[in-house]
Amino acid sequence: MAAMVLVATRLLRGSGSWGRSRLRFGAPAGRQFSSGGAYPNIPLSSPLPGVPKPVFATVDGQEKFETKITTLDNGLRVASQNKFGQFCTVGILINSGSRYEAKYLSGIAHFLEKLAFSSTDRFASKDEILLTLEKHGGICDCQTSRDTTMYAVSADSKGLDTVVGLLADVVLHPRLTDEEIEMTRMAVQFELEDLNLRPDPEPLLTEMIHQAAYQENTVGLQRFCPAENVARMDRAALLSYLRAHYTPDRMVLAGVGVEHERLVECARRHLLGSQPAWGSDAPAQVDRSVAQYTGGIVKLERDMAGVSLGPTPLPELTHVMIGLESCSFLEPDFIPFAVLNMVMGGGGSFSAGGPGKGMFTRLYLNVLNRHHWMHSATSYHHSYEDTGLLCVHASADPRQVREMVEIVTREFVLTAGTMDVVELERAKTQLTSMLMMNLEARPVIFEDVGRQVLATRSRKLPHELCALIRDVKPEDIKRVASKMLRGKPAVAALGDLSRLPPYEHIQAALASRDGRLPRTYRLFR
C-alpha cells in the first residue's frame, strides 16, 4: 500500500525518473507559436502581413432579407428567405386540416399526416426516401394542424433539386397501398391510446376547448381521428379528400437558406404540369365556412389518481380551461392580444427559471405565488385566419375546483382594468425577445414564411412585427380585453368534476365587475 502511495505521489509531483524523462523527451522549451514567434511585434488590432483578407457576410439594409414570392402559372406560390449556411429547409404547406373535414370522414388530415413520406411512384418504400435524403444529410417531417398541413425537409443546399423533386412526389404521387394504410391505422390507434394515458392533459384539453368554443364547425371539428373512424379509412376516402384540397392554388413551396431563382426553377421542373395520383378531374367544392364562435362547455369525468405512477407520482388533479374569443391573426388587434397573453403568462408551481420563464407575469404573481394549492396556471393564445381563442389552463386538487375557477375568472376580469406601464413594457420586451430568439432557427423561419404567405400572400418581417409590438399602449390592452369579456366563455374540464361550478355561474362571474362566482347556499352539506 505504501509503495502505491509513493508512486502516486511521484506522478503527481512530476519527480523521479518519470519527471526527468519527460523533460528529456518532451517538447522543446523554445517552441514557436503562430501567435507570438512568427509576428512578435504586431498588435492584435492590426492585420497580419501575407494573410489573405477575410470576406465577411454583410448586411445592406433589409433588402437581402425580404421574403421573395413568385406565383407559377398553375397558382402555386413559391416563397424563399435567404439565410447564410450550408443547409436549407424546404417544404410544401397546404390549406388542409381538420377544419375542412365537414363533408368527409373526421380524422382524414390526421391519417394523412401519419401516411406522409410513404411509397410513391418513384420511391418503392419509406426506407428508399430516407436513404435518398441521407445522401444530402437530410431529415423529413410532416405536421398537421387545424388549418394547415406541412411537409418539410432539411438538407444540404446542394441537394435542392433532389429535395424538391422528392417533396413533389410525396405530396402529389403517393401510392397509398393497403399495407401502408393498415400500418397507419395501428399508428393512429396507438396515438389515441397514448393521448388518453399521458400525464400531461394539455393536448386533450386543447381539443376539448376548441369543441366547446366552436361547436361542430370549422376549428371546432376533431383534430385527432375518432376511434370509430380508424377502421373506416380507405384509399377511396383519402383520394377523394386529396383531390379537393391538394390543388396548386392551395399550396406554397417555401424555402429558407436557398436562392429564390433556383427554388423557382426546381418548382417549375417538378410541380408545374405534374399529373397527381388522383387524376386531373375538376376538384370538388372546398368548404369555405367562416368559424362561428358559440361558447359552451365540454366535460370529461375521469379518475386522475393513477395517471402518473412511479416513485414520485403527480397528485390527483382536476384540470379546467376557460377561454374567450379573441381575434384572427389578420386583424390589427392580434398584436395587442399577443401582448395580453404575455402579460397573463403563467406556468407550473415549480419552475427553475427567472423572468424569462414568466415569473413576473400575472398568473405567477397573483395566482401561483398567493395560492400554494394551485398546481399550475398558464395562458394560451390560439389564432386562425378568421377567429382566435385566449384561454387559461389551471389545475388543482379536486376539493379546490370552485376556488380555482373563481381565481381564474377574477384574473380575466382584471385584464380590462388599469394596466401598469412597467408591467406592459416587460411583457412587450419579453414578446419581442421570444419572437427574435425563435426566428434564429431555420425551421422556425421556414414555418413563419410558409404560413404567412399561405394566409396573406405576403410576409411581415421581424422588424415590422417588433415595431407593432412597441406601439401597443395600455388603452389597447384595456380595449381588447373589454371586448373579449363581452362574449360567452368556452370551458373544458377534465377529472373529478363534483365541485365544478355550473357554466351559467362561470359566465356570470366573467360578466361581473369583480369576477366572483355567484354565492350558493345549501341547507345540507
Side-chain angles (χ1 to χ4, degrees):
M1 182 69 183
M4 292 177 62
V5 173
L6 180 61
V7 170
T9 305
R10 287 179 176 178
L11 287 173
L12 290 172
R13 292 180 178 178
S15 60
S17 59
W18 179 84
R20 288 192 295 272
S21 64
R22 185 184 60 169
L23 291 175
R24 188 182 302 119
F25 301 107
R31 179 177 176 180
Q32 298 295 315
F33 292 97
S34 60
S35 59
Y39 307 100
N41 300 320
I42 299 178
L44 294 176
S45 57
S46 301
L48 298 176
V51 177
K53 186 177 180 181
V55 179
F56 299 102
T58 58
V59 179
D60 300 328
Q62 296 292 336
E63 298 81 26
K64 291 188 178 181
F65 293 90
E66 289 181 356
T67 302
K68 297 181 179 179
I69 304 169
T70 299
T71 303
L72 303 186
D73 295 339
N74 60 357
L76 184 138
R77 283 153 284 170
V78 181
S80 71
Q81 179 83 36
N82 207 353
K83 182 177 174 62
F84 182 78
Q86 178 183 353
F87 282 78
C88 65
T89 299
V90 181
I92 296 177
L93 293 92
I94 310 165
N95 269 329
S96 165
S98 58
R99 72 171 295 164
Y100 301 106
E101 295 177 354
K103 299 189 295 183
Y104 300 87
L105 272 177
S106 178
I108 281 189
H110 181 209
F111 210 84
L112 288 170
E113 175 189 345
K114 301 304 174 189
L115 264 173
F117 293 98
S118 296
S119 65
T120 68
D121 289 350
R122 286 175 50 211
F123 300 96
S125 66
K126 187 168 189 174
D127 291 338
E128 194 172 325
I129 290 176
L130 296 178
L131 285 173
T132 302
L133 289 176
E134 283 179 7
K135 294 177 183 177
H136 302 282
I139 56 174
C140 60
D141 186 28
C142 178
Q143 296 179 9
T144 300
S145 64
R146 299 181 187 279
D147 56 357
T148 308
T149 298
M150 179 176 65
Y151 298 80
V153 172
S154 289
D156 194 305
S157 302
K158 296 177 182 177
L160 178 63
D161 187 69
T162 302
V163 167
V164 175
L166 186 148
L167 283 167
D169 219 42
V170 165
V171 173
L172 299 177
H173 306 285
R175 284 185 179 175
L176 305 179
T177 64
D178 293 339
E179 183 183 357
E180 289 170 347
I181 292 174
E182 186 58 36
M183 291 293 292
T184 304
R185 288 194 185 107
M186 296 171 62
V188 170
Q189 189 66 46
F190 174 80
E191 186 170 356
L192 294 177
E193 293 173 1
D194 177 68
L195 184 68
N196 291 315
L197 293 176
R198 65 174 60 181
D200 178 23
E202 189 62 42
L204 186 58
L205 278 169
T206 302
E207 186 78 7
M208 293 168 61
I209 196 71
H210 279 83
Q211 291 177 16
Y214 308 92
Q215 294 181 21
E216 299 181 357
N217 78 92
T218 57
V219 294
L221 300 177
Q222 294 189 54
R223 190 171 76 84
F224 297 101
C225 182
E228 62 271 16
N229 286 354
V230 174
R232 299 172 61 190
M233 291 291 176
D234 57 15
R235 192 172 191 274
L238 296 173
L239 288 176
S240 173
Y241 181 86
L242 290 170
R243 184 178 296 108
H245 297 86
Y246 280 42
T247 56
D249 58 304
R250 298 173 62 83
M251 295 182 183
V252 169
L253 174 66
V256 175
V258 297
E259 295 178 2
H260 186 71
E261 292 74 18
R262 280 189 64 203
L263 187 62
V264 172
E265 180 185 343
C266 294
R268 287 199 173 102
R269 185 180 303 118
H270 299 288
L271 291 165
L272 191 60
S274 179
Q275 179 84 357
W278 44 88
S280 57
D281 299 338
Q285 189 67 30
V286 177
D287 182 14
R288 302 187 185 277
S289 302
V290 177
Q292 302 295 319
Y293 182 86
T294 60
I297 184 169
V298 173
K299 298 188 289 186
L300 182 57
E301 288 268 3
R302 178 178 292 177
D303 181 11
M304 305 290 286
V307 168
S308 176
L309 301 176
T312 54
L314 288 172
E316 181 182 0
L317 299 172
T318 294
H319 299 264
V320 176
M321 187 177 281
I322 300 176
L324 291 164
E325 186 180 22
S326 57
C327 71
S328 83
F329 56 69
L330 301 176
E331 298 179 44
D333 284 342
F334 170 68
I335 298 297
F337 269 115
V339 175
L340 176 59
N341 179 54
M342 208 45 85
V343 169
M344 298 286 282
S349 56
F350 171 79
S351 174
K357 291 289 289 294
M359 299 288 278
F360 284 89
T361 59
R362 287 191 174 187
L363 292 181
Y364 258 114
L365 294 176
N366 302 341
V367 178
L368 296 173
N369 286 356
R370 296 184 182 182
H371 307 282
H372 65 90
W373 45 268
M374 289 278 287
H375 186 266
S376 67
T378 311
S379 175
Y380 297 93
H381 188 213
H382 306 278
S383 193
Y384 306 95
E385 64 179 1
D386 51 5
T387 187
L389 190 65
L390 183 72
C391 46
V392 173
H393 168 208
S395 60
D397 187 278
R399 294 167 293 183
Q400 311 269 179
V401 170
R402 181 179 174 85
E403 292 86 346
M404 174 181 72
V405 170
E406 185 172 79
I407 288 168
V408 172
T409 56
R410 287 171 60 185
E411 287 305 314
F412 264 118
V413 171
L414 287 173
T415 59
T418 304
M419 175 65 64
D420 182 64
V421 176
V422 175
E423 179 185 30
L424 178 61
E425 289 300 319
R426 182 186 292 119
K428 287 158 62 175
T429 302
Q430 187 176 354
L431 180 59
T432 303
S433 171
M434 187 176 297
L435 172 70
M436 299 306 295
M437 284 192 293
N438 286 337
L439 288 174
E440 289 288 324
R442 188 181 61 253
V444 177
I445 302 174
F446 156 77
E447 189 171 348
D448 181 54
V449 170
R451 286 183 180 274
Q452 286 201 47
V453 174
L454 190 65
T456 66
R457 299 180 179 270
S458 62
R459 184 192 179 217
K460 285 184 178 177
L461 296 176
H463 72 275
E464 298 177 81
L465 295 173
C466 290
L468 292 173
I469 294 171
R470 286 193 298 270
D471 290 341
V472 175
K473 303 292 190 295
E475 49 267 27
D476 296 326
I477 301 295
K478 184 174 182 179
R479 174 176 51 78
V480 298
S482 301
K483 177 184 176 182
M484 176 181 69
L485 288 168
R486 288 196 290 267
K488 292 175 62 177
V491 181
L494 173 67
D496 181 356
L497 308 180
S498 56
R499 301 202 179 187
L500 180 70
Y503 175 78
E504 294 75 15
H505 287 191
I506 299 175
Q507 186 175 0
L510 290 168
S512 66
R513 290 186 176 182
D514 56 4
R516 293 184 180 275
L517 293 167
R519 292 291 169 247
T520 56
Y521 301 95
R522 293 183 292 177
L523 293 175
F524 303 99
R525 291 186 178 275

